[in-house]
Amino acid sequence: MSKRMAIGGALAASLVFVAAAIAANAFHRVKPAVFDPAHSHLVQSGWLSGIGCPTSQDIQAFLPPDFSRTGTVKVADTGCPTGDSNDRTNEGLLLAKTGPTNNNAAATARLKDVPSTVTELGYDIRKSGGPASAMGSHCGAGAPRFDIVTKSGAIFFIGCNSPPGTVTAASTGWTRLRWGASTLAFGQVGSPAALSSLNVKEIHIVFDEGQDTGPDFFGLAVLDNVDVNGMLVGQGQGPKDNEDEGDNDDHHDD
């Protein structure tokens, strides 16, 4: 083998390694957890098969004209025109808080390997009639919300309907919400700041409003296709979810 071929082979191997490292550090997981210091057992967070927004699912349907025979047809909800290609079982992220909001407990989910500059956040929520509707999942000012922690330790919030997200797709069962680069995230301390101006360290989804919070008084939300800068995650990772240090069941950063 010539010296040129050896150098070329080493360069190619190096590029593959760099590409793999970049891919490994890109947003690709949403890790459920609960914060429940009193062990109230009134909060839950987890990916479940069969409750997500169907982008393209085969079903066996009863067919017209007399519905006496069945055939395979595809179900594609207009509320989620795109989705996570790795989701094979139509998973959705269940976030629930039973009982009162003043219980110091929350269902959470950590967005893994988020970039330091975020220009878009979003998700699909199992809800009809838009964010302010009482039909379907809870969508309040404070839950489900994104908690954005910067590298300086500051915390900013984007709630399901505060500030209002842009509805980019909707159906009778699902609403797709997006918050863009210029969205003003509310600061825990100080003035709001544009989403894209934040030097992001980590992001969590937090659900801590219970059944005493309207307009739905439901205390539960189902999300799918969590979006960071256009990358969608709509499924869990099975046993791999147990491998992350520091992501125990009592993790919460609010």
Side-chain angles (χ1 to χ4, degrees), residues 177-198:
L177 296 175
R178 292 292 183 265
W179 292 268
S182 61
T183 298
L184 290 179
F186 297 105
Q188 187 178 47
V189 177
S191 302
L195 175 61
S196 61
S197 71
L198 303 178

Side-chain angles (χ1 to χ4, degrees), residues 25-119:
N25 290 324
F27 169 63
H28 66 290
R29 295 179 62 191
V30 176
K31 172 71 168 58
V34 296
F35 173 72
D36 192 12
H39 304 289
S40 68
H41 303 291
L42 293 175
V43 288
Q44 184 58 267
S45 174
W47 288 99
L48 296 176
S49 297
I51 67 169
C53 188
T55 302
S56 180
Q57 299 292 131
D58 290 331
I59 67 168
Q60 189 179 68
F62 291 99
L63 302 176
D66 59 3
F67 301 98
S68 63
R69 62 188 182 91
T70 61
T72 300
V73 299
K74 282 195 177 297
V75 172
D77 196 300
T78 56
C80 52
T82 56
D84 183 346
S85 61
N86 293 317
D87 180 11
R88 307 299 184 192
T89 59
N90 194 39
E91 294 184 42
L93 178 62
L94 172 70
L95 300 166
K97 183 171 183 177
T98 304
T101 297
N102 69 359
N103 176 22
N104 182 30
T108 73
R110 183 176 179 179
L111 281 56
K112 302 289 292 183
D113 299 316
V114 294
S116 59
T117 299
V118 175
T119 57

